[in-house]
Amino acid sequence: MDSVTQAALGAVVAGAVAGKQCNAKVLLAGAALGTLPDLDVVLSYGDPVTDMVKHRGFSHSLLILFPLSLLLAKLCHLWLTPSWSFKKLLVLISAVLITHPLLDAFTTYGTQLLWPFEIYFAVSSIFIIDPLYTLPLLLVILMALWQRDKAASRCRAGLVVTTLYLAWSIIAMGMIESRTRDSLVELGYERDQPLFLTPTPFNTVLWRIVVLDDEQYLEGLASLLDSDPKVDFLVRERGSWPFAHQPDVLQAQLKFAGDYVRYQVDEERVVVADLRMGIADFLSFQFQYATMDDLERWQQHTPFALNGLDGAELYLPKLLLRLMGDQSLDADLCRNCNATES
C-alpha cells in the first residue's frame, strides 16, 4: 500500500495497543514505525527487475520483523519511563511492524512474508491506493487527537472498520471470480482456466481480469454493478521469449509474476511486461531486455524499465463509467492506449 496508508495504519495500531497511554507522541511513533519496512526502496540490486523482485523482501519478512521488534522494544524500554512495560512495548512495536506486510499481502504486488524463502503472498483484493481503506484511518487519527480520553477506543473502532473492508474486498473478488468462470465455460474454456483478478484503481467494485491461454491471453472487466453477468473478453497476443536461453533475471521476473507476463517483440526491441499490474497496454512494469543493432542482430543487455503509464490518466473517466456498469466500454478499455483517443 502507499506510504500514507501504511503510516496511518501504524498510528492507529499503536493507539489501539497503547490504550490509556495513547497520545500524539504514540501516534507519531506508530506512523514512523508503520513506514519502516518500506525503507528497502533505497536499496539497489543492479537492475530494475531485481529491484522489483526483491522489494518487499527481507524488510517485510515476519522472520525478520519479530526479532527486530524484540530489539526495538528492549531499546525503548531502556529509554522510556517505567510506565511502559517491556511486554506492552513489544506488543505495540511488533503489531505495528507486522501489520504493514500483512496489509501489503492483500495487494497485487506480492509480499515475501517468509523471506528468505522465495514465496510471494498476494491476495490481490485491494488496489495499492484505496481511499475507502485509508480515509477511515485518517479520520480516526484526527478523532484520537481531538478526544484523547477516547483515543484508544477510536483507534480500535477504526481497525474494525478497515478490517471489515478487507474482508469485503475478498468477498467482492469471489463474486467476480464466479462470474468470470461461468463466462469462460460458456466460451468453451475449462472452469479451472488460469486467471488473475485485481481491482482497478481506487475501488473494489470494478475488477480487471486476465486469463492465460498459451501464447494468448484474455483480458476483460467486470463490475459489481453490471446488469449482465456475462464477462466480455478481448483476446490478445501474449507472445513468447524469442531466444533459446532465458537469463536469470528473466526467470526471476517470471517467478515473481507467476507467468502472467507478455512478450512484445518488434523490429527494434524485446520487452517483457507484467500483466498483473495495469490495464491494456498501460502496464506498470515493462522491461526492455534486448535491442536490434545496426547490423540487424539482437543484443541482449541488462534490462531497463520503460514508462508504461504515460497517458493512463486519460483512462480514469472511462473507468468510472465502467465502474457504474456501462459494459459497452469493455472492448474500448481493454484494447490499447489508442482507445483513449477514440
Side-chain angles (χ1 to χ4, degrees):
M1 298 291 286
D2 64 284
S3 296
V4 172
T5 300
Q6 291 290 9
L9 176 62
V12 173
V13 170
V17 175
K20 294 181 179 180
Q21 293 172 289
C22 179
N23 55 38
K25 291 182 179 179
V26 169
L27 296 176
L28 181 60
L33 276 175
T35 59
L36 184 62
D38 278 341
L39 292 181
D40 67 329
V41 296
V42 303
L43 301 176
S44 176
Y45 296 93
D47 67 83
V49 174
T50 306
D51 291 345
M52 174 187 70
V53 170
K54 290 187 178 294
H55 177 48
R56 294 188 183 176
F58 74 92
S59 68
H60 287 61
S61 172
L62 302 183
L63 303 180
I64 298 296
L65 294 178
F66 275 121
L68 179 61
S69 298
L70 283 169
L71 175 61
L72 292 177
K74 185 62 177 179
L75 292 175
C76 290
H77 188 243
L78 292 174
W79 295 336
L80 296 177
T81 63
S83 60
W84 284 88
S85 68
F86 172 76
K87 181 179 179 181
K88 191 166 188 177
L89 285 169
L90 177 60
V91 172
L92 188 151
I93 293 172
S94 59
V96 171
L97 289 179
I98 291 168
T99 50
H100 177 121
L102 291 180
L103 177 59
D104 278 345
F106 280 85
T107 67
T108 297
Y109 195 96
T111 308
Q112 297 182 59
L113 295 177
L114 299 178
W115 182 94
F117 304 102
E118 291 187 358
I119 304 172
Y120 296 97
F121 295 86
V123 178
S124 193
S125 66
I126 191 170
F127 191 67
I128 57 171
I129 302 174
D130 191 323
L132 289 182
Y133 183 89
T134 307
L135 290 178
L137 293 174
L138 296 176
L139 178 61
V140 161
I141 293 172
L142 292 176
M143 294 174 66
L145 292 173
W146 181 41
Q147 298 177 312
R148 295 187 180 182
D149 57 326
K150 299 180 180 179
S153 61
R154 295 288 186 263
C155 289
R156 291 164 188 161
L159 291 178
V160 170
V161 170
T162 52
T163 300
L164 288 175
Y165 184 71
L166 289 178
W168 152 252
S169 72
I170 296 175
I171 294 172
M173 188 178 191
M175 295 167 64
I176 296 296
E177 180 176 357
S178 179
R179 278 180 53 192
T180 301
R181 294 201 180 278
D182 288 344
S183 297
L184 288 173
V185 170
E186 290 183 14
L187 293 173
Y189 290 92
E190 297 293 331
R191 190 167 185 86
D192 60 352
Q193 193 80 15
L195 66 83
F196 184 84
L197 302 175
T198 184
T200 55
F202 319 130
N203 75 99
T204 52
V205 176
L206 178 63
W207 295 72
R208 177 172 173 260
I209 305 161
V210 178
V211 182
L212 295 185
D213 183 25
D214 295 325
E215 293 191 6
Q216 294 181 327
Y217 69 94
L218 285 67
E219 184 167 359
L221 293 167
S223 170
L224 294 174
L225 301 179
D226 289 343
S227 57
D228 184 354
K230 180 181 178 182
V231 179
D232 293 321
F233 295 100
L234 192 70
V235 179
R236 311 193 72 195
E237 291 297 321
R238 183 175 172 229
S240 59
W241 180 250
F243 309 114
H245 172 68
Q246 288 185 345
D248 291 343
V249 66
L250 175 60
Q251 294 180 31
Q253 183 180 356
L254 294 177
K255 184 174 182 179
F256 173 74
D259 287 336
Y260 283 88
V261 299
R262 183 188 68 190
Y263 303 92
Q264 183 179 355
V265 182
D266 56 30
E267 297 179 353
E268 298 180 352
R269 62 186 185 177
V270 175
V271 176
V272 182
D274 192 321
L275 287 173
R276 301 172 303 157
M277 288 169 275
I279 183 171
D281 287 332
F282 296 115
L283 299 175
S284 303
F285 295 102
Q286 302 187 43
F287 305 98
Q288 184 168 325
Y289 277 81
T291 304
M292 184 75 74
D293 65 16
D294 294 337
L295 299 178
E296 297 186 350
R297 296 176 302 187
W298 285 113
Q299 299 293 332
Q300 295 189 53
H301 48 69
T302 300
F304 59 85
L306 302 174
N307 181 10
L309 298 178
D310 187 25
E313 67 279 359
L314 300 177
Y315 254 21
L316 294 179
K318 289 185 177 181
L319 284 177
L320 179 59
L321 293 175
R322 182 62 190 86
L323 181 151
M324 300 301 294
D326 188 350
Q327 293 174 269
S328 67
L329 293 172
D330 283 351
D332 187 29
L333 286 170
C334 292
R335 186 173 292 108
N336 53 49
C337 57
N338 292 329
T340 61
E341 301 173 1
S342 60

